[in-house]
Amino acid sequence: MTQTTEAVDAAQLSPASRRTRIHRAWFVAAVTFVTIIGAAAFRSLPGLLIDPLHQEFHWSRGTIGAAVSINLALYGLTAPFAAALMDRFGIRRVVAVALMVIALGSGLTVWMTAAWQLLLCWGLLVGLGSGSMALAFAATVTNRWFTERKGLVTGILTAASASGQLIFLPVLSWIVTEHDWRPAAVTVALAALAVVPFVWLLLRDHPADVGLKPYGAAVFVPKPPPVRGAARRTVSVLLSAVRTGPFWLLAGTFAICGASTNGLVQTHFVPAAHDHGMPITAAASLLAVIGVFDVVGTVASGWFTDRFEPRRLLAVYYALRGVSLLFLPMLLSSAVHPPMIFFIVFYGLDWVATVPPTLALCREQYGEDSAIVFGWVLASHQIGAALVAFLGGVARDAFGSYDMVWIASGALCAVAAMMALVIRRRPAAPVLTVRAAV
């Protein structure tokens, strides 16, 4: 049987057959989930390295924070170009190369002796590799393989990063505490390499590659030809998007999202808790608990996004996040107590719950270019994270505590809530009616 015949047969399956078979899109989503989990090891490590690197090399927290800032900024700035590269070369190739770059950058850190080497390895190499594994990867897979349940799938794939954090944080914190930071860096490199075979053997670029329709589609969708000029297309989409008001509002709110999550809590929570006498392993375990509830919150947010107005969801998420951050300075202590556990659960539910409604608004506003536009919006997320990762370390060096950083971030979240509410909905396309001739 030829490939064309197989494609036609697959497209013409009876409704009963379609109900009894699991669509291939869900297997692709599962492979994407596992891939993001494996790559999430590098997201777990920076906050654990600040104190060990400060003690061993006597680098300031601002210097170490600068390396994390470069990493976070490149994580965001690479994302829109990676989305375009996936259109040009395919998802498998881009993701496999990105994982190997992450492994190279993390592995080389074990031989570093100067601060510029930290900036090069952890900042540049891991930043570039991780940018190609950013949420634009999840957006591209979702857009190609699903026409229904997009909000739910986005929530599940977004939660994969939190699941990786849940898996790796306790392990890496134990390795750092018991065996130094170098074995932890090697663990990150091996985790990234271990996922490469799954990507290459099991991931497919488009449903048409296996003769299927996207999940929920009424008709067969041919695979589009490779899009050349990836960099030019990425920039042209940006130049078009910046002329619209919703882009700036989405980028602004997502920058504050990054500042209050990756830049602040993920990077500085462990050293801030350690300042109050809490052991590093205990603080890292609390971050891992955030990862547990992040999975629940993000999947639930995807479900809500399929049913409720995304702008209002964003406003609620940011407002609640801001309130919780204002209370955090009063909760930090040497021991884990019930109010701190409540904060961890609450913050975990809200951690990246903002992603599904933000991506839904990008789809609503920008259509076929939504994955690239979301990549640029994600870039603003990481720029916000990078600024706070650096400024948080500077503030700790200058004031001796993180209190001012928590309060400022809480106020920014209130601003983000108001920005979300003023995003205008794109008017629906007019429906033309034809009167029957009498």
Side-chain angles (χ1 to χ4, degrees), residues 338-377:
M340 172 59 76
I341 295 175
F342 179 80
F343 168 83
I344 292 296
V345 172
F346 187 88
Y347 206 81
L349 291 172
D350 197 288
W351 182 265
V352 286
T354 55
V355 172
T358 300
L359 183 51
L361 288 169
C362 284
R363 292 194 193 103
E364 175 186 301
Q365 297 287 336
Y366 304 104
E368 293 181 356
D369 292 329
S370 61
I372 295 178
V373 173
F374 180 71
W376 284 114
V377 171

Side-chain angles (χ1 to χ4, degrees), residues 283-300:
S285 297
L286 289 177
L287 272 185
V289 174
I290 285 180
V292 175
F293 288 94
D294 181 22
V295 174
V296 177
T298 308
V299 173

Side-chain angles (χ1 to χ4, degrees), residues 268-294:
H268 294 292
F269 178 81
V270 171
H274 191 56
D275 284 347
H276 287 77
M278 184 179 294
I280 290 178
T281 51
S285 297
L286 289 177
L287 272 185
V289 174
I290 285 180
V292 175
F293 288 94
D294 181 22

